[in-house]
Amino acid sequence: MIKVKDLHKSFGKNEVLTDITTEIDAQEVVCVIGPSGSGKSTFLRCLNRLEDITLGEVLIDGVNIADPKTDINAIRQDVGMVFQHFNLFPHKTVRDNVMLAPHKLKGESTREVRDRSLNLLEKVGLADKADAYPSSLSGGQKQRVAIARALAMNPKVMLFDEPTSALDPELVGDVLAVMKDLANEGMTMVVVTHEMGFAKEVGDRVFFMDEGRMVEEGTPTQVFDDTTHERTREFLSKIL
Amino acid sequence: MIKVKDLHKSFGKNEVLTDITTEIDAQEVVCVIGPSGSGKSTFLRCLNRLEDITLGEVLIDGVNIADPKTDINAIRQDVGMVFQHFNLFPHKTVRDNVMLAPHKLKGESTREVRDRSLNLLEKVGLADKADAYPSSLSGGQKQRVAIARALAMNPKVMLFDEPTSALDPELVGDVLAVMKDLANEGMTMVVVTHEMGFAKEVGDRVFFMDEGRMVEEGTPTQVFDDTTHERTREFLSKIL
Amino acid sequence: MNLSPEAFVEVTPYLLTGLWYTLIITIIGVLIGCVIGTIFGIMRLSTNWFIKTVASIYVEVVRGTPLLAQIFFIHFGIPALFNFNFDALITAFGVIALNSGAYLAEIVRGGVQSVDKGQLEAGRSLGLNGRQTMRHIIWPQAVKIMIPPFGNQFIISLKDTSLLSAIAVTELMYQGQTYASITFASFETYLMVCVFYLLITIPASILLRFTERRLDHS
Amino acid sequence: MNLSPEAFVEVTPYLLTGLWYTLIITIIGVLIGCVIGTIFGIMRLSTNWFIKTVASIYVEVVRGTPLLAQIFFIHFGIPALFNFNFDALITAFGVIALNSGAYLAEIVRGGVQSVDKGQLEAGRSLGLNGRQTMRHIIWPQAVKIMIPPFGNQFIISLKDTSLLSAIAVTELMYQGQTYASITFASFETYLMVCVFYLLITIPASILLRFTERRLDHS
Amino acid sequence: ACGTDDTEGDADDADVNGDDTDDVEAEDEEGADDEDEEAVEDDGDENGGDGSVEGETFTVATDNNFVPFAFTDLETDELTGFDIELMNAIADEVGFEIDYEPVDFAASLSGIQSGSYDAAINAMSITEEREETVDFSDPYYFDAGIILAVADGNDEIQSLEDAEEQGATVSTRQGSTSQEYLEDNVDGIEIEAFPEITEAYEAVIGGHVDAVLYDEPNVAYHTEDLADGQMVTVGETLLADDYGIGMPQDHELVEPVNEALETLKENGTYDDIFEDYFGERPEGT
Ligand SMILES: Nc1ncnc2c1ncn2[C@@H]1O[C@H](COP(=O)(O)OP(=O)(O)OP(=O)(O)O)[C@@H](O)[C@H]1O
Ligand SMILES: Nc1ncnc2c1ncn2[C@@H]1O[C@H](COP(=O)(O)OP(=O)(O)OP(=O)(O)O)[C@@H](O)[C@H]1O
Ligand SMILES: [Mg+2]
Ligand SMILES: [Mg+2]
């Protein structure tokens, strides 16, 4: 599904990702953890080329997205992304947020897209908010709309960048529940998160990053309970 | 130490605190929990009259601070406050942040204040940052400076409004450690927090607020494990 | 002190004529300025070095010189060299359009840039291309941000038309000057001129503040 | 096309004299404007209804009328009524001070208001009174915020001095007009006038942007 | 030259000498007074006559862009012109000091009316209406007319009549005698009155208007001396005003100024200054 080979990413002279090589299989749920500034977001954003790739290859379903000849807009339709701060379109209703991309990109008829949007909103428990504007929603609701919006393009992979860290603690649960459902349905997911509970329960694998390197990858049990890496242990001792 | 009698607080027509009566003893550590918008911050801010009190009494060491005749500036010197977003003075060095109030208000000599500031910064583990500006500090360091600043006036009570919720998870520990020390030294503390671990370990009592009312107060065990209130149980189920 | 109250009344019809010109010049000038501003504002956002530089030079030169100098250069300087001339009213429209265009270009640029970067990322990561993202996501939000500074520029341009009196355009200020030069009732005349401007600018800025607040809330 | 290259050279000494006046008037005018702006800006922040209204009227009237109308009102209107006269240079300083003062009042008010409310709360909760908090905490931060808009106002006022040519103050624009009316080399003259303004405004705005960036980083 | 009130009488009999006669008479009348005192003053010149104005400083309103009467010399950045040099000579003669205030014409008039200036010398036409509120010195410039000028090469307009026939646009200065003249005496001409006369000239050169009508000495200065032949005068001189130094009524300066003016005319200083600015000696000398 996703292959990353010798990925390097620099901002100016500052190398933020160093030599990352890994593979993520279809239907796998990967959680990425690591201290602030370790490059988790940058890694995720390289997977749909929201950040230009400095060096190395990223293959999605066999297509090298680092290649400038690749039609990145086509690839991105297969790669949904959910942001920490939701990034809903404030000038559009919830339904229009979800409908926009399929309508403009897939040339589907309005009726068709409309129905699918409503289904998706039902799935995230917000069918009744279809005509509301984002500003009237709580953070948790916003994030669930953002997930529905990303799903509207029928992506093969979903990327989540700290989807719950901007939420009030009581609103986190609803969002995680939606993500759990998604994982159970077999969606391939890469999730940057500090929610260890989620990682343990849903994650197939955990990546631990530090200073732009992939320090360790393994099952949640391997990483959380039996790590042999000093840096991982130090990090976990602080956040658990 | 602190007595609150029939406290009401409205913003315009919106009643945010309804009929709150409670007492906090010297050396007690009280943790305030509750859903977002329930009035926790407003309650805390009424304790040093950062919010005008609409109705009722708040007595600190027997002085009614709701009385307009009270010299609120004198009272505030006895009530330290720590904010979610630190609110350090960005144009002053760490040392000057700590020194400002004692220097201007207690008329102490610069030498004296200087020494005490350094002691306080040592206590929060930041003596080496005395000459740095706040912008060069991490969130956790900023919050520790903010605590040192509040302590510089030798307050009798310390109020904390979600002191760790704006921090990266790995930086939370250092701040909580400082607060723990403070509690062990016998400081009277009122802490709005979502850190249940802290509340259980350090708190003498827990207040649960909802919709502007004090729904329940009791020891951490009573509230967290044996609550009889439906609303409390619902809230706890979401955040734990 | 020799106030002549009848001057206040007498000057009014003159000023009303002037006000009409002032409004027409401002409205047409600023409308053309909007077109210019949109084009140059988007040019300044371009990644193409040349396009960006051209737009920057226009904006910086206009913003770096006094409007009065621009008026004289256009109305007297250019005809003197190239031996053609145009009506003062054409200069009036042109100079207000050119001048407000440069300021509006900055407003357009600022508006687009102040749309949260996350919006662009959200659009692009859905698979929309740059143009689609601009059109459906960035631009509608940017326009909303631009409304208050646009209103502000309108008020500024309205006041700016007063400088056209120097080239005998019969707007409000010019009409006042004419009346004052006939009657020497300078105090009464210029007081009324100020009142007439305030009659437009004060309601306009109240409306503007109201709009701003409404936009803030939504 | 009959460009006379020697006009570019010939006009320069005249314009240098004018530039000198332009700079002096701008600097002194804006300095006095700073004092006025600080006073009225703080008055607008007052909780006293009367003080606030007085300041608001001053600011709104000045900002709602064209500078040219203000110049004519002060230079011709007031002396006509009260039978006293002052030197055009006095009007020049006065009108630039009064005008920039109103805009600077808004800058002062905006600067103070844009200091994070948490700063006030932090100061007050330490036990500092309102005045102490203002002086030691809010004001130093507000001043820093004010620097870029202040610089911007300086550039605006510099361009505004060109309107003083209407009352025969020998600043840059006036010198240009005089030379152009003598030689009729209007194109060359007004081009050079624009160049002279740009020689001041462009470096000033580059310096301003640089300062702004430096302030942003600190 | 500026000001509207002064043409009512003059305009009708533009080229007739009627007005002049009035002025001459007026001069004669005052001249009689002068002679009496002059006798006294000539003797006591050294000790400053009655001593009332000698050594004092007076504020004199003037113009600073009205060539060749009162303007700022761009090269020296100093006020100069026929008016200025004459006023300086008068001051030297009487022995007082001058503090010049360059102000707008309208401001100078209201300034001497109210007494906030001690005098105004800025090519001010002597009119009956003004004499009601201010005192004038004896005329120091006679028969100042207004004249039409066009851009060089414009052969179609050779007189105001041509302009009238063609429905031309004529520029002038706001509130000037020329504007009044155009409004009262010609039909079919579109008037474009600029706040500053310099802009009215530029409008001719820029081609925005067909011609300019303004005070002859000023137009002459622009067409002959400075403008490199880009603008030429056409037709004949219209109107004929005399210029005088305006002063507050019954001001202590009125008499000394008239005496000094007389002296300067007699001893040739006046003619020398006149020649400096107008290129020829005044008629009759
Ligand atoms: N656009 C950018 N330009 C320059 N440097 C950047 C940019 N984006 C990120 N960086 C730098 O790259 C490094 C990694 O940032 P990144 O956001 O990937 O970290 P992260 O692990 O997601 O941290 P966090 O947990 O705080 O989100 C940081 O040092 C950051 O300062
Ligand atoms: N300055 C204010 N003006 C008007 N309403 C306010 C103001 N401050 C707070 N409120 C309202 O008072 C209520 C309680 O707010 P408060 O900040 O005390 O809640 P909280 O329990 O601290 O919530 P959180 O966990 O989000 O900080 C909310 O409904 C809020 O909208
Ligand atoms: Mg990140
Ligand atoms: Mg709160």
Side-chain angles (χ1 to χ4, degrees), chain A residues 45 48 50 72-73 76-77 79-81 83 87-92 100-101 104-105 135 149-150 153, chain C residues 116-130 132 135-138 140-141 144 217-218:
Chain A
R45 293 157 61 87
N48 70 347
L50 267 188
I72 190 66
N73 294 320
R76 283 181 183 149
Q77 298 182 23
V79 184
M81 184 145 190
F83 300 87
N87 297 350
L88 292 185
F89 306 136
H91 59 301
K92 295 193 175 287
L100 179 73
K104 298 291 170 203
L105 292 174
S135 57
R149 179 176 70 177
M153 293 301 289
Chain C
D116 180 23
K117 237 189 112 223
Q119 293 290 314
L120 175 73
E121 294 185 347
R124 296 306 303 273
S125 72
L126 283 171
L128 298 169
N129 64 31
Q132 289 166 324
R135 174 149 163 233
H136 300 293
I137 296 165
I138 309 295
Q141 297 181 55
K144 213 166 127 183
H217 279 280
S218 72

Side-chain angles (χ1 to χ4, degrees), chain E residues 49-148:
Chain E
D50 57 0
S52 63
V53 298
E54 193 185 330
E56 281 190 48
T57 300
F58 294 99
T59 308
V60 177
T62 187
D63 213 327
N64 69 354
N65 68 342
F66 195 69
V67 285
F69 292 95
F71 57 96
T72 305
D73 185 323
L74 285 175
E75 265 151 45
T76 60
D77 197 32
E78 279 177 15
L79 212 50
T80 184
F82 178 67
D83 283 4
I84 304 295
E85 297 312 324
L86 182 65
M87 195 68 210
N88 288 343
I90 290 170
D92 280 350
E93 183 66 26
V94 181
F96 59 85
E97 302 286 323
I98 298 176
D99 186 9
Y100 285 112
E101 291 274 342
V103 297
D104 185 75
F105 187 85
S108 75
L109 191 59
S110 65
I112 50 173
Q113 276 169 356
S114 65
S116 54
Y117 298 134
D118 298 304
I121 182 160
N122 48 2
M124 190 182 283
S125 298
I126 300 169
T127 69
E128 283 173 24
E129 196 166 342
R130 284 178 188 159
E131 282 188 309
E132 286 168 17
T133 51
V134 303
D135 280 355
F136 282 103
S137 70
D138 300 334
Y140 67 88
Y141 187 92
F142 299 96
D143 295 341
I146 56 176
I147 194 161
L148 200 66

